[in-house]
């Protein structure tokens, strides 16, 4: 597989980030993009995508996205992703309060998909009063499903079809899971640059290693039913960013914040830590944050 190649889902929906207007996608263009990058497995899967008059069938693609993200939600449940974020978020909220933050802390999940993280944190995060969680995604079908699930679960979080970086009420803290590797090159620097005015950000993504692609392939083939999920889950481990690249991009983009990695160490046998975090915050938050992390503070560092 090609570490610079796309995931299939990156190519299927085209939304203007300023207007949220969705543009039709030609199936031939999807196939050409995958073939150009030598993604033979991806092209084979994409050949059976539903088409109408030369374009991908939007309703069926939306339904596919909901199924693929539901499979991703199962992965996050098994990887205890909500709890991992909570372990970072609770000390950060404490640090914000200690440093005098008054009023609501707005936590915005960038690219929230079906909103698993936001819903989990709202239901089980112990985040205390004065916290408002908002999930944003360009994809209307995912946001409609996320809002429906939150209503069924009786949760007070919000979901928006919106660019997370241009909300009317800006975020105090940005969070995400499984999003970083979708941004490449200067796009990754720009991703962080758009968060430079926030108090902090916490982003979790797959931790790359020589074993991760094989582990991911076995896991996705065994546990996922959608061919698109099997392909994209494996490809995301192939192209996951190493900690050094994330640090460099975050420091170039959001240099005014103090930036470090969580679980960034390169392990000899890389099977215990499946996720890598990029943690950025205002300099004055750093000391109370590290103090409140307790033993988990040992997991911060620049990676090696
Ligand atoms: C892999 S998916 C999200 C996965 C999701 N976080 C999860 O854990 O299930 C990446 C999503 O990011 C969204 N996205 C990328 N940039 C965004 C932005 N600036 N604002 C809102 N959504 C964004 C895309 O629409 C896409 O659906």
């Amino acid at each position: 597989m090609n570490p610079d190649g796309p995931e299939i889902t990156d190519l299927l929906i085209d939304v203007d980030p300023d207007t949220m207007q969705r543009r039709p996608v030609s199936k031939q263009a999807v196939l050409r993009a995958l073939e150009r990058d030598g993604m033979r497995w991806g092209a084979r899967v994409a050949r059976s995508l539903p088409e109408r008059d030369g374009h991908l069938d939007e309703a069926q693609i939306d339904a596919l996205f909901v199924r693929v993200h539901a499979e991703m939600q199962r992965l996050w449940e098994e990887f205890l992703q909500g709890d991992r974020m909570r372990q970072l978020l609770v000390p950060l909220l404490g640090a914000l309060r200690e440093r005098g933050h008054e009023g609501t802390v707005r936590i915005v999940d960038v690219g929230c998909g079906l909103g698993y993280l936001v819903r989990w944190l709202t239901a089980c995060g112990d985040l205390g009063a004065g916290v408002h969680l908002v999930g944003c995604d360009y994809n209307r079908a995912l946001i409609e499903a996320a809002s429906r699930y939150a209503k069924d679960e009786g949760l007070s979080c919000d979901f928006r079809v919106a660019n997370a970086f241009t909300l009317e009420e800006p975020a105090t803290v940005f969070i995400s899971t499984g999003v970083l590797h979708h941004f490449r090159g200067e796009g990754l620097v720009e991703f962080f640059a758009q968060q430079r005015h926030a108090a902090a950000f916490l982003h979790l993504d797959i931790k790359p290693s020589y074993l991760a692609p094989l582990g991911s392939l076995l896991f996705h083939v065994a546990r996922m039913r959608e061919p698109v999920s099997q392909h994209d889950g494996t490809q995301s481990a192939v192209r996951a960013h190493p900690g050094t690249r994330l640090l460099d991009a975050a420091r170039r983009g959001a240099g005014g914040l103090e930036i470090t990695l969580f679980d960034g160490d390169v392990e000899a046998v890389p099977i215990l830590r499946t996720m890598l975090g990029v943690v950025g915050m205002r300099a004055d938050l750093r000391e109370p944050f590290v103090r409140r992390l307790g033993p988990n503070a040992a997991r911060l560092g620049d990676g090696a």
Side-chain angles (χ1 to χ4, degrees):
M1 294 182 84
N2 174 0
D4 296 317
E7 286 163 51
I8 299 169
T9 44
D10 285 337
L11 305 171
L12 304 187
I13 294 189
D14 180 15
V15 174
D16 182 321
D18 297 321
T19 62
M20 292 299 118
Q21 218 48 39
R22 182 166 172 178
R23 299 175 279 230
V25 175
S26 138
K27 180 167 167 180
Q28 284 312 312
V30 171
L31 293 175
R32 274 197 303 276
L34 290 163
E35 281 158 6
R36 189 185 56 228
D37 281 327
M39 312 282 292
R40 285 207 301 267
W41 177 14
R44 201 166 60 242
V45 172
R47 258 176 231 121
S48 55
L49 290 170
E51 192 179 13
R52 271 165 89 107
D53 308 324
H55 289 109
L56 293 174
D57 181 318
E58 291 189 0
Q60 290 198 55
I61 293 295
D62 283 349
L64 172 68
F65 265 66
V66 172
R67 292 197 302 278
V68 166
H69 281 76
E71 293 197 307
M72 206 185 309
Q73 168 167 324
R74 282 215 302 276
L75 178 72
W76 292 157
E77 285 166 3
E78 293 193 30
F79 282 14
L80 305 178
Q81 196 75 299
D83 193 54
R84 187 177 286 100
M85 184 61 83
R86 188 188 59 78
Q87 287 178 32
L88 293 167
L89 208 41
V90 169
L92 178 64
L93 290 170
L96 275 165
R97 298 292 184 208
E98 187 176 324
R99 289 295 185 236
H101 184 96
E102 286 174 4
T104 304
V105 176
R106 273 174 69 82
I107 302 174
V108 173
D109 185 358
V110 187
C112 67
L114 290 177
Y116 170 68
L117 183 67
V118 165
R119 289 184 287 113
W120 191 95
L121 289 168
T122 306
C124 327
D126 298 324
L127 302 184
V131 173
H132 186 212
L133 283 138
V134 183
C136 292
D137 206 292
Y138 295 146
N139 186 314
R140 184 170 298 280
L142 294 178
I143 289 293
E144 283 174 0
S147 305
R148 222 172 31 246
Y149 300 155
K151 189 163 176 249
D152 290 350
E153 292 158 4
L155 301 174
S156 61
C157 45
D158 281 327
F159 292 100
R160 309 258 166 84
V161 182
N163 183 340
F165 301 129
T166 56
L167 293 172
E168 245 170 57
E169 290 178 288
T172 321
V173 179
F174 286 105
I175 59 172
S176 77
T177 49
V179 167
L180 293 176
H181 66 274
H182 290 274
F183 292 90
R184 320 293 301 175
E186 287 307 303
L188 185 62
V189 178
E190 183 54 25
F191 175 82
F192 287 109
Q194 294 179 88
Q195 302 169 58
R196 65 188 182 279
H197 299 304
F201 57 70
L202 305 169
H203 298 292
L204 298 172
D205 203 0
I206 298 154
K207 182 169 182 172
S209 73
Y210 66 90
L211 282 179
L214 177 63
S216 191
L217 173 69
L218 293 176
F219 187 94
H220 282 80
V221 169
R223 296 297 316 276
M224 309 243 164
R225 294 295 162 263
E226 287 292 338
V228 170
S229 303
Q230 295 178 342
H231 174 273
D232 281 10
T234 307
Q235 177 62 5
S236 43
V238 170
R239 68 180 186 151
H241 294 299
T244 46
R245 190 187 299 157
L246 291 170
L247 266 186
D248 177 61
R251 286 178 177 157
R252 282 174 58 208
L257 301 178
E258 291 218 354
I259 294 157
T260 184
L261 299 176
F262 185 69
D263 287 339
D265 290 353
V266 177
E267 302 155 292
V269 185
I271 48 175
L272 294 180
R273 303 272 189 226
T274 51
M275 290 287 149
L276 174 62
V278 187
V279 174
M281 64 190 64
R282 277 186 346 232
D284 65 309
L285 298 172
R286 170 87 188 184
E287 186 280 321
F289 171 70
V290 172
R291 177 167 24 91
R292 284 157 190 274
L293 265 181
N296 277 340
R299 293 162 69 179
L300 295 175
D302 277 7

